Amino acid sequence: MKPKVLVARAVFPEVVERLRQFFEVDDNPQDLAWSQADLIQRLQGKVGAFTTGSVRIDVALLTANPQLRVVCNMAVGYNNFDVPACTARGVLCTNTPDVLTETTADFGFVLMMAAARRITEGEHYLRRGDWKKWSYNQLTGSDIHGATLGILGMGRIGQGIAKRGAHGFGMKVIYHNRSRLTDDKEAECRAAYVSKKELLQQADHLVLVLPYSAESHHAIGAAELAQMKPTATLTNIARGGIVDDAALAHALATRQISAAGIDVFEGEPSVHPGLLKLSNVVLTPHIASATIATRLAMANLAADNLIAALTGGVPPSPINPEVLAR
Ligand code: GLV
């Protein structure tokens, strides 16, 4: 008999078909919004789960489903998993690193440039019919080339953004991270390590690419925004909750910073009403990895993990590999 797995969100049908070759699959092709109680119920009898970043794997779920062996996130971030609780129960957790690095780094640039060059503001102005003539100071923004790019969080995606900035746009790149890159990596990214304070004070364009955790909650709040240049932009492609969205709305409204590009929000898909009112923020619905090729690669990597974990193979991207060693 095939092992039973749950695909908790709608995903590429061809990937679900792939999983059906190995498993008895229960899925959610209509992408219904299951409550946590529904999810716990649907997982009964399942040994594996294919999840996305909005599917919470917590202690209550694990306790109600002691048969669960593996949870495979179709996302590089995994703050939706209680990893220590999974590890304690021998549940393997996996994510989808690498396959989305370049696509997501591209999007960091898209959003940063859109904010700096006032792209959505300009489009709304045009669509409203307000564009009557050219003027010398119409929608003037700030330069990307030659500016100082600040990166908070220097993992794979941060390094991708650094390389684009340094090599493509002649930017001076500074970064702050829990750990410093090796000299070789710093040279490759042409990036200099600075303190968080220096990063905030010196960046013309600050991009956030750090994982969400209790320590990074509100890493950018009122105090941090107050240290930034009034001409600076802030881009968040990391996770909601890293920025205090209320403080950001206030800083943008009072021009403490000049603009922002935000793809991830506290409590998304809700967006802080203060942000919705502002013209100097570009808002996108958590789409940094959203190209067809990359989303398909992410889905296939999550499937690879699920298949390997439950058929005696080696899962390619475990988060808690110590579970495998047991
Ligand atoms: C998307 O946010 C991801 O973590 O992959």
Side-chain angles (χ1 to χ4, degrees), residues 147-152 154 162 171-176 189-207:
T148 297
L149 169 61
I151 301 174
L152 186 58
M154 199 59 155
M171 300 179 87
K172 173 181 171 189
V173 181
I174 54 177
Y175 77 97
H176 183 74
C189 296
R190 280 204 232 141
Y193 182 85
V194 294
S195 68
K196 184 175 172 188
K197 187 173 172 189
E198 288 167 320
L199 186 80
L200 293 167
Q201 292 177 345
Q202 293 173 20
D204 294 314
H205 303 292
L206 178 61
V207 183

Side-chain angles (χ1 to χ4, degrees), residues 74-78 96 100 237-239 264 286 289 298:
M74 181 185 149
V76 67
Y78 49 83
T96 59
L100 49 55
I237 56 164
R239 271 291 179 276
V264 286
H286 202 146
S289 67
M298 291 165 69

